[in-house]
Amino acid sequence: MAMAEKFDSLEEHLEKFVENIRQLGIIVSDFQPSSQAGLNQKLNFMVTGLQDIDKCRQQLHDISVPLEVFEYIDQGRNPQLYTKECLERALAKNEQVKGKIDTMKGTISVLQLWTCGWRRNCRPCARSHVSLQVPGLLGHTKFMGHSESNASYLFP
């Protein structure tokens, strides 16, 4: 049985169960001794409906629903918005992390240049590989390895 068919079956059983409960409520609210047979029949249908729902549950045992979805439902919100909002939060977090990574890459590059400048045997290597712009670094607006005036504070 395909996954969609399993969900359709569960939905059908739930709809029947809810309708049976509604009818049961009507019988109970206007109970007469003569309606006992109908009440018993509805109670039996309710038990059968619960058994059918349990069978559907066993077919869908590998499906997990986040608790936040139920909170959406309790708040009267559309549970399908949960996925949309999760994706929006993930995209925002992704942008935030990407910004942190970019900042760290820039910081690491500058630190590597500083440490390389302190070691005289790396000086030619550092100057040939640097083409990095770092706004506002120690009062300089640009740092280009092939420009002595901008890089002189890094390479003593």
Side-chain angles (χ1 to χ4, degrees), residues 49-131:
L50 286 172
Q51 290 170 342
D52 292 340
I53 291 170
D54 189 57
K55 288 177 189 171
C56 291
R57 181 191 59 84
Q58 291 171 357
Q59 294 173 352
L60 299 171
H61 66 85
D62 57 338
I63 305 295
S64 63
V65 179
L67 291 177
E68 291 87 8
V69 173
F70 295 110
E71 291 173 8
Y72 270 58
I73 294 169
D74 288 343
Q75 296 168 358
R77 298 169 65 193
N78 184 346
Q80 293 176 344
L81 292 177
Y82 174 76
T83 303
K84 178 185 174 197
E85 291 178 8
C86 278
L87 288 174
E88 288 171 353
R89 284 192 305 266
L91 287 172
K93 186 67 174 177
N94 185 32
E95 288 297 317
Q96 182 183 25
V97 169
K98 184 181 180 300
K100 288 180 181 180
I101 289 171
D102 291 345
T103 301
M104 291 302 295
K105 282 181 181 178
T107 303
I108 289 170
S109 295
V110 169
L111 290 173
Q112 286 174 340
L113 291 173
W114 283 349
T115 57
C116 195
W118 287 329
R119 295 184 300 171
R120 293 200 185 273
N121 60 352
C122 265
R123 182 193 261 173
C125 153
R127 287 190 177 163
S128 66
H129 293 298
V130 174
S131 63

